[in-house]
Amino acid sequence: MSETKYYEQTGVAMTCRSFNEYKEMFMLDDLLLNKGKILDVASGASSFVAELSKRGYDAVAVDPLYSLSLEGMNDFGSREIQIATEKIDKIKDFFVWDSYESIESHNQIRINSFEQFLESYAEEEKYFSAALPSLPFEDETFSLIVCNHFLFLSRRTAHKTPATK
Ligand SMILES: C[S@@+](CC[C@H](N)C(=O)[O-])C[C@H]1O[C@@H](n2cnc3c(N)ncnc32)[C@H](O)[C@@H]1O
């Protein structure tokens, strides 16, 4: 009988995808990016905002982990990359490697992205520490909002009818 293999994850990981990974994921082009201010929600250690800024776009990121210091983020992010790569390595035969080519190049893309993120992380006006469902922005602030690899489910509390005697 074949053994079931899966990517084990407890809690929320902090990944660091690159601008190109976001571009592929959301089919982004200049037309979309040029419309105005951009927000990346649950941005983690992604270099998306850093790379957008280098390209001249107006972009900011939000994630609860942005309460971490630069040093804390460096430690946490480096450990996350290492853990993720070790987990992928155990099940690498189950992935289709057409776009990343190999686990080594996948790992290198993440390291490059993380380095670009860290260079830009000191720019406080770009990285906001906050968590869904309450974000510290006015309505209509952004023309484009992306959220990559984070699914947030919110449950409305039903109004209870007060008990009658
Ligand atoms: C899998 S990472 C994705 C990071 C990045 N978007 C990427 O694609 O590489 C998920 C991120 O969601 C953040 N997160 C966790 N709870 C959140 C919340 N309530 N609101 C916003 N972000 C949250 C985590 O801190 C983590 O950085």
Side-chain angles (χ1 to χ4, degrees), residues 33-164:
L33 295 171
N34 266 326
K35 284 188 193 282
K37 205 170 167 82
I38 301 163
L39 172 66
D40 183 13
V41 181
S43 189
S46 163
S47 60
F48 183 59
V49 162
E51 293 191 67
L52 280 176
S53 302
K54 274 187 201 156
R55 290 166 161 82
Y57 296 109
D58 185 9
V60 299
V62 64
D63 194 295
L65 286 173
Y66 295 159
S67 57
L68 289 174
S69 65
L70 179 60
E71 195 186 4
M73 184 58 90
N74 190 7
D75 291 347
F76 189 71
S78 305
R79 210 167 45 243
E80 286 279 295
I81 292 176
Q82 194 190 337
I83 291 168
T85 300
E86 283 169 9
K87 287 198 283 189
I88 294 169
D89 194 36
K90 285 190 193 153
I91 51 170
K92 62 172 183 278
D93 296 342
F94 286 79
F95 287 96
V96 175
W97 289 100
D98 291 355
S99 59
Y100 289 107
E101 293 177 4
S102 67
I103 187 166
E104 290 76 20
S105 67
H106 176 272
N107 191 45
Q108 196 54 54
I109 288 168
R110 294 295 158 88
I111 290 171
N112 293 346
S113 174
F114 186 48
E115 283 174 359
Q116 292 191 73
F117 164 78
L118 283 179
E119 274 173 29
S120 138
Y121 186 56
E123 297 170 65
E124 283 174 13
E125 72 284 0
K126 284 201 175 74
Y127 297 94
F128 295 86
S129 174
L132 288 167
S134 298
L135 300 184
F137 307 109
E138 298 290 327
D139 289 352
E140 312 294 334
T141 303
F142 300 98
S143 63
L144 177 68
I145 300 175
V146 295
C147 182
N148 196 28
H149 282 81
F150 181 66
L151 179 63
F152 185 83
L153 301 176
S154 175
R155 192 167 61 117
R156 279 192 170 198
T157 314
H159 285 290
K160 285 191 184 143
T161 315
T164 48

